[in-house]
Amino acid sequence: MDFETIVYKESPDEGIAWVTMNRPQKRNAINKKMILEMGEAFRQAEKNDDIRVIIFNGEGPCFSAGHDLSAEEQYPSTSEERIIWERKYYFDEIMYLRNIRKPLISQVHSYCIAAGLVLALMADIVIVSEDAVFNDPVVRMGANSQEVMILPWVVGEKKAKELLFTGDSLTAHEAFRLGMINQVVPREELDTAVYEMAKKVALMPPMAVSLVKESINNTLDNMGFTNSMKMHFASHLLSHSTEEARNGMGNHKRGDLKKYFDERDKSFKSSI
């Protein structure tokens, strides 16, 4: 199957599928087309009984720079349109990725920002290169973080507040120390490390693995995971209507992105 913004590959004999973001010239900035194509690819892998594990990665200089904020991307202008848009293309697709009935491995290198961060952390296993950098700068732009707030669940309350209150970044080794990711390897060993993990998981009985994943996800749901995501999503949508968000997230429409980001981050030591 041909896609414009991703590459989808299967190796049925090994039981592995790859979903690769493929907008390297845009640093894999995530647009509507990519969201639709990724959804189609993940569903194809989930339906194929020969596929036992899915690898999610990005082509080019980094994993993902987050949402595509360029001028050619047409974002909703009314609250009603934004609710429909973000529910369909962001919240529902992110939660689908979390609950996909096959093990999912994220392979992260270099920058993993905002929407890219959330997508990567929806995976069951996250393996990263030593140059990986994790960041959610959306609060700096006047909105209540991403559509799904995963950080408190993977780094704990205090560190999540620090990261979101400041917009600061995490290095790969800091993320590993906090338990946010599974492995850190040299950049040149990343492909091999992920592939070896995928092969190991693919050897396991697929129904048992699927049920284990569901049990662990249900455990987190009993602790409030899904309801917390729903409540956060409502707050995130509300934050878009504030003057802070209009002055922040709307600024990129009035000038080039580099100028906007430089202005946004000039008061901070850590910038993305």
Side-chain angles (χ1 to χ4, degrees):
M1 186 176 296
D2 293 328
F3 294 104
E4 292 180 22
T5 65
I6 69 167
V7 173
Y8 179 67
K9 184 176 71 171
E10 294 179 351
S11 179
D13 292 342
E14 298 176 295
I16 303 172
W18 287 260
V19 178
T20 303
M21 294 178 287
N22 190 35
R23 302 183 76 209
Q25 74 285 0
K26 293 282 190 177
R27 297 183 181 273
N28 292 324
I30 300 162
N31 61 7
K32 179 181 175 181
K33 183 75 170 177
M34 182 184 280
I35 292 167
L36 291 172
E37 292 189 340
M38 285 195 298
E40 189 173 346
F42 281 118
R43 286 169 175 84
Q44 181 173 328
E46 185 178 25
K47 291 176 183 177
N48 187 342
D49 291 338
D50 292 328
I51 299 304
R52 295 186 171 198
V53 59
I54 307 166
I55 295 171
F56 177 42
N57 56 15
E59 183 62 48
C62 69
F63 178 78
S64 175
H67 288 313
D68 190 340
L69 300 178
S70 56
E72 61 265 23
E73 286 298 302
Q74 299 298 313
Y75 283 92
S77 56
T78 69
S79 294
E80 290 83 357
E81 290 171 342
R82 181 172 288 279
I83 290 170
I84 294 169
W85 173 283
E86 295 203 6
R87 180 186 291 150
K88 178 178 180 180
Y89 296 112
Y90 300 151
F91 186 82
D92 288 351
E93 289 299 314
I94 291 170
M95 294 303 288
Y96 163 72
L97 208 57
R98 184 249 183 178
N99 293 311
I100 192 170
R101 294 184 180 276
K102 293 186 177 179
L104 177 63
I105 302 173
S106 285
Q107 174 179 330
V108 177
H109 67 287
S110 189
Y111 290 123
C112 181
I113 303 172
L117 170 67
V118 175
L119 288 173
L121 296 182
M122 284 297 109
D124 305 297
I125 296 172
V126 184
I127 301 176
V128 314
S129 58
E130 290 177 327
D131 64 348
V133 178
F134 303 92
N135 180 264
D136 182 355
V138 173
V139 179
R140 288 186 186 179
M141 303 164 77
N144 182 5
S145 189
Q146 294 299 306
E147 293 80 9
V148 168
M149 183 177 281
I150 187 65
L151 281 176
W153 295 85
V154 295
V155 301
E157 172 208 352
K158 302 303 182 187
K159 194 64 179 181
K161 287 178 177 176
E162 176 189 333
L163 293 171
L164 294 171
F165 288 179
T166 64
D168 283 349
S169 305
L170 275 181
T171 66
H173 290 289
E174 288 172 328
F176 179 76
R177 179 178 60 81
L178 290 165
M180 189 176 99
I181 61 176
N182 297 82
Q183 293 182 28
V184 182
V185 299
R187 177 74 171 265
E188 63 272 15
E189 298 176 15
L190 182 60
D191 287 346
T192 300
V194 173
Y195 182 52
E196 291 301 318
M197 177 64 75
K199 288 196 296 182
K200 186 183 296 185
V201 174
L203 291 174
M204 296 291 286
M207 181 56 69
V209 170
S210 179
L211 291 172
V212 165
K213 174 173 179 171
E214 187 172 28
S215 291
I216 294 172
N217 283 1
N218 285 340
T219 299
L220 293 177
D221 284 341
N222 286 333
M223 296 165 63
F225 181 92
T226 295
N227 282 336
S228 295
M229 296 303 110
K230 291 177 179 178
M231 290 299 295
H232 167 72
F233 181 60
S235 179
H236 168 83
L237 289 170
L238 177 64
S239 72
H240 276 289
S241 66
T242 65
E243 193 64 27
E244 287 180 340
R246 283 191 287 270
N247 290 336
M249 300 191 77
N251 270 354
H252 69 272
K253 298 176 182 178
R254 298 194 288 270
D256 67 84
L257 281 175
K258 186 179 186 307
K259 180 179 179 182
Y260 166 59
F261 289 137
D262 288 345
E263 180 67 22
R264 183 196 68 184
D265 296 329
K266 66 181 182 182
S267 299
F268 301 93
K269 293 180 180 179
S270 172
S271 62
I272 290 291

